[in-house]
Amino acid sequence: MKNIRNFCIIAHIDHGKSTLADRLLERTRTIQVTEGQMLDDMDLERERGITIKSHAIQMEYELDGEKYTLNLIDTPGHVDFSYEVSRSIAACEGCLLVVDSTQGVQAQTISNLYMAIEHDLEIIPVLNKCDMVNSMPEVVEDEIIDLLGCKREEIIRASGRTGQGVDEILRAVVERIPAPTGDENAPLQALIFDSVFNSFRGIIAYFKIVNGSIRKGEDVLFVNTKKKYSADEVGVLKMDLSPRDVLHCGDVGYIVSGIKTATEVKVGDTITAVARPCEKAIDGFEEVKPMVFAGVYPVETEDFENLRASLEKLQLNDASLTFSPESSVALGFGFRCGFLGLLHMEIVQERLDREFNMNVITTVPNVSYHVFDKHGVMKEVHNPAGMPDATEIDHIEEPYIRASIITRTDYIGSIMTLCLGKRGELVKQEYVSGDRVELYYDMPLAEIVIDFYDKLKSISKGYASFDYHPIEFRPSKLVKLDILLNGEPVDALSTLTHVDNSVTFGRRMCEKLKELLPRQQFDIAIQAAIGAKIIARETVKQVRKDVTAKCYGGDISRKRKLLEKQKRGKKRMKEIGNVQVPQKAFLAVLKLD
């Protein structure tokens, strides 16, 4: 066990984690690196150049004549996937904190670092991209020293592209990161930190053994779900699964036990032996808290059950996705899904389409609110359609977040304007280094879920980095804004919005819908309403046939008779006709600006 090292790589998005991981794999001769980012094996990851799933892989390394087993977990950098990072950190004793020497310390670097410190990990700072022309190693080293309080010689200068510093990193992993602690003879205790679905073998769970050992063919118990299985195959994670007869304390590996149902494997659960069970489960794992909720509906109603099966399989691979069934007047049956953020929502939608061939409609994302009635009873509302009548509501509380924005001093003014426009309150500001400042804001989560991040990036020319965590629910003046088409409310387009923004928001919604709705043979009235009060209106004009074309000459009464007949037909059509809202309209509401 003294020769095992478990470590992960954490960094802000695009600081070169996956490229550095490639160099480590190449240096330890684990695999032949044929193309960039070997661990990012999903098409989506390759296309977007981001890591979505954390990946575990085992490397063999020899130092001073001794052989070491290194278990590496490469993690995502985007704020939406911080749950993946927290699970990887829980399975490790140390981490490489990678900082881009051309960009310096950014928001996600700091938040991932705090997560690692909470778990008492040994932190090895690595300065990446040192071969770049615009790298500023001395300046960034000063930032890291301020942040970590480490010595300058502890920081390793490296480059994922050229392979500089890779040997020093491997030596530091062996020398600085402690070996896993645990009792080989105690009852089996293993922490599940990830799971994947394989269509031939069922669910494969990845775990780290904290105490004891596990053998092939042994009967095991999953503590939280109380389910018993036989360990058909256990092994370690190379580029593919590599079977072993027995795994010992401190090892990271996988178990195949023919589990068919997605809900039976919970990430963070403890595996123990049926013959000698452990006394209690491993603690320190929290349930994921979704931030953004949106309805996901199949385009064809009969695909509802297929969508359920697809979401369950996807949930295995992405434990932070939560969903529950719901129905809507406009869209039929579907699911209310909880996501960690907008990128996460976009990725899930894309994966449903690619991996499961599901064509879905997603409604406007929103957050959950606490609604208190006149008797002081609290109800949690995830969806504007579930709001009680306005006369019964005493007050509404909405979730607030603490946002930390790191930016160059040139952009402070425009970023403050943006945050104030989103109802943000400045908590404090601190200078990170000469020309970089960190701003802390308390903001309503609802204001940042749609387009805040995009706007922040554009006004700071891509320099500002953003991170947030939920703090509490606070009372707020919110109203439900309904969109009516010919007097019928479209529940998928209704939103909860702040009183001050409601009129301008309603007006913009109506104008946008007027552009997007196809013309019918009757007028379509688009109205925005708060309760019974209409605050904005637009009309989509009808398409008309010229019925008087065949009348040439003769009496005017003949023309009038034809026009009256057309008018009666239009009136009848309006009564029985209904307006179809295209998917484009739902998406357009997200991009109102």
Side-chain angles (χ1 to χ4, degrees):
M1 200 162 99
K2 67 180 190 351
N3 287 9
I4 296 176
R5 300 287 183 272
N6 299 324
F7 70 104
C8 59
I9 303 186
I10 55 175
H12 189 81
I13 187 166
D14 272 348
H15 279 202
K17 293 178 298 303
S18 301
T19 312
L20 198 61
D22 280 355
R23 296 291 84 77
L24 294 174
L25 295 175
E26 204 167 51
R27 182 68 194 76
T28 54
R29 299 194 178 85
T30 307
I31 51 168
Q32 187 72 41
V33 176
T34 49
E35 53 186 322
Q37 278 89 14
M38 294 294 286
L39 291 179
D40 293 352
D41 50 7
M42 217 186 291
D43 294 343
L44 261 176
E45 292 180 317
R46 294 262 163 97
E47 279 168 30
R48 289 169 178 248
I50 57 176
T51 306
I52 295 169
K53 287 285 299 160
S54 52
H55 293 270
I57 191 163
Q58 190 180 85
M59 308 182 285
E60 305 291 336
Y61 179 59
E62 195 171 311
L63 181 69
D64 305 335
E66 267 202 73
K67 285 201 164 117
Y68 292 91
T69 300
L70 311 181
N71 290 307
L72 156 72
I73 302 177
D74 177 28
T75 61
H78 197 281
V79 58
D80 278 12
F81 303 114
S82 53
Y83 182 64
E84 287 276 333
V85 182
S86 73
R87 296 185 342 208
S88 309
I89 285 176
C92 293
E93 281 83 35
C95 70
L96 300 179
L97 179 74
V98 177
V99 181
D100 185 336
S101 64
T102 62
Q103 301 200 24
V105 170
Q106 289 187 289
Q108 205 52 35
T109 317
I110 295 177
S111 82
N112 284 340
L113 173 69
Y114 288 156
M115 226 189 285
I117 291 171
E118 268 171 41
H119 284 82
D120 288 337
L121 298 196
E122 177 64 38
I123 293 154
I124 300 175
V126 175
L127 204 55
N128 197 15
K129 305 192 185 177
C130 287
D131 61 318
M132 302 282 272
V133 184
N134 56 345
S135 96
M136 318 166 285
E138 282 77 19
V139 179
V140 181
E141 274 180 3
D142 291 340
E143 289 178 16
I144 296 176
I145 292 166
D146 286 347
L147 186 65
L148 276 175
C150 62
K151 298 189 183 71
R152 191 176 288 274
E153 56 272 15
E154 287 177 10
I155 302 170
I156 300 171
R157 293 192 183 185
S159 160
R161 196 166 58 173
T162 62
Q164 169 198 342
V166 171
D167 286 325
E168 289 97 282
I169 292 173
L170 288 165
R171 179 176 281 275
V173 165
V174 171
E175 289 172 357
R176 294 196 218 167
I177 293 177
T181 54
D183 183 355
E184 178 79 35
N185 303 317
L188 171 67
Q189 248 189 334
L191 171 77
I192 300 180
F193 66 88
D194 203 356
S195 59
V196 292
F197 181 77
N198 181 312
S199 43
F200 301 109
R201 315 184 69 180
I203 291 153
I204 302 172
Y206 295 169
F207 60 80
K208 177 203 173 184
I209 301 179
V210 179
N211 288 313
S213 58
I214 185 169
R215 291 185 174 282
K216 183 180 175 180
E218 193 173 9
D219 288 337
V220 293
L221 168 75
F222 285 34
V223 178
N224 287 343
T225 53
K226 304 275 184 290
K227 301 276 188 201
K228 294 180 183 175
Y229 305 102
S230 165
D232 300 337
E233 181 180 311
V234 293
V236 294
L237 300 152
K238 296 283 190 182
M239 204 58 197
D240 298 312
L241 306 178
S242 168
R244 298 279 187 275
D245 287 333
V246 60
L247 291 180
H248 299 286
C249 185
D251 277 332
V252 172
Y254 70 91
I255 176 169
V256 179
S257 48
I259 307 169
K260 300 285 188 294
T261 351
T263 48
E264 290 176 17
V265 178
K266 283 203 167 33
V267 167
D269 199 349
T270 305
I271 304 176
T272 187
V274 174
R276 268 179 76 202
C278 59
E279 287 173 14
K280 63 180 188 20
I282 301 165
D283 55 352
F285 233 92
E286 71 275 1
E287 280 289 308
V288 57
K289 290 190 284 290
M291 290 285 178
V292 176
F293 292 88
V296 173
Y297 293 87
V299 174
E300 303 294 333
T301 329
E302 59 266 22
D303 286 343
F304 175 71
E305 280 306 323
N306 295 351
L307 180 60
R308 183 198 297 272
S310 307
L311 282 169
E312 280 176 359
K313 286 177 188 167
L314 194 56
Q315 193 179 31
L316 272 178
N317 203 310
D318 180 354
S320 42
L321 171 68
T322 57
F323 63 92
S324 57
E326 71 163 4
S327 64
S328 137
V329 183
L331 301 166
F333 291 103
F335 293 94
R336 180 120 208 105
C337 296
F339 305 99
L340 293 180
L342 277 193
L343 177 74
H344 185 209
M345 174 174 137
E346 203 181 309
I347 295 289
V348 166
Q349 207 176 338
E350 188 88 350
R351 286 183 69 183
L352 279 173
D353 182 31
R354 292 186 180 201
E355 295 172 29
F356 303 101
N357 248 339
M358 291 303 308
N359 200 356
V360 294
I361 290 176
T362 314
T363 63
V364 183
N366 51 34
V367 299
S368 55
Y369 298 92
H370 289 172
V371 179
F372 292 84
D373 64 12
K374 296 282 199 290
H375 308 293
V377 179
M378 192 270 282
K379 178 187 177 191
E380 198 170 290
V381 174
H382 300 304
N383 188 344
M387 284 287 281
D389 197 65
T391 51
E392 296 168 18
I393 298 172
D394 181 53
H395 69 279
I396 302 175
E397 290 186 352
E398 64 175 335
Y400 266 69
I401 55 149
R402 173 70 48 88
S404 104
I405 299 166
I406 297 181
T407 173
R408 299 259 287 266
T409 42
D410 324 357
Y411 308 118
I412 290 184
S414 46
I415 287 177
M416 284 184 162
T417 314
L418 171 70
C419 293
L420 289 172
K422 298 281 188 187
R423 298 190 281 140
E425 298 159 22
L426 182 64
V427 181
K428 61 174 177 179
Q429 65 182 55
E430 294 173 349
Y431 281 84
V432 182
S433 65
D435 65 337
R436 302 199 24 241
V437 64
E438 183 165 13
L439 304 169
Y440 290 94
Y441 269 93
D442 282 357
M443 298 170 79
L445 179 62
E447 293 286 346
I448 68 158
V449 297
I450 294 184
D451 55 359
F452 178 77
Y453 194 58
D454 298 345
K455 283 184 176 169
L456 179 71
K457 280 293 183 200
S458 58
I459 56 180
S460 66
K461 301 190 169 60
Y463 276 110
S465 61
F466 169 69
D467 185 47
Y468 62 88
H469 62 269
I471 43 175
E472 60 188 356
F473 279 77
R474 297 185 187 174
S476 195
K477 281 187 165 176
L478 297 168
V479 287
K480 182 183 172 192
L481 181 75
D482 285 314
I483 298 292
L484 311 177
L485 296 180
N486 281 347
E488 290 292 319
V490 181
D491 59 349
L493 287 174
S494 59
T495 46
L496 281 172
T497 176
H498 196 262
V499 170
D500 302 345
N501 307 341
S502 59
V503 175
T504 48
F505 187 68
R507 196 168 291 145
R508 276 165 42 205
M509 291 263 279
C510 290
E511 285 165 6
K512 195 79 189 175
L513 283 169
K514 183 182 178 181
E515 293 168 22
L516 290 164
L517 287 181
R519 288 170 69 188
Q520 307 282 354
Q521 299 206 349
F522 50 88
D523 282 355
I524 305 173
I526 305 168
Q527 294 165 309
I530 296 174
K533 182 182 171 192
I534 304 291
I535 55 169
R537 166 170 175 146
E538 294 286 341
T539 309
V540 178
K541 282 293 183 199
Q542 59 190 6
V543 184
R544 290 189 55 170
K545 180 183 171 189
D546 186 2
V547 286
T548 58
K550 60 187 179 194
C551 290
Y552 42 90
D555 192 358
I556 183 94
S557 60
R558 286 181 59 202
K559 287 187 177 175
R560 193 165 292 143
K561 185 177 158 191
L562 287 167
L563 287 168
E564 284 298 323
K565 188 179 172 189
Q566 184 187 33
K567 197 169 157 187
R568 285 197 302 275
K570 293 270 183 210
K571 188 179 172 189
R572 193 173 72 246
M573 198 182 286
K574 187 173 183 174
E575 282 165 8
I576 58 168
N578 62 349
V579 185
Q580 291 292 326
V581 184
Q583 166 71 1
K584 275 206 311 246
F586 293 116
L587 296 175
V589 176
L590 309 184
K591 304 187 177 74
L592 271 178
D593 299 320

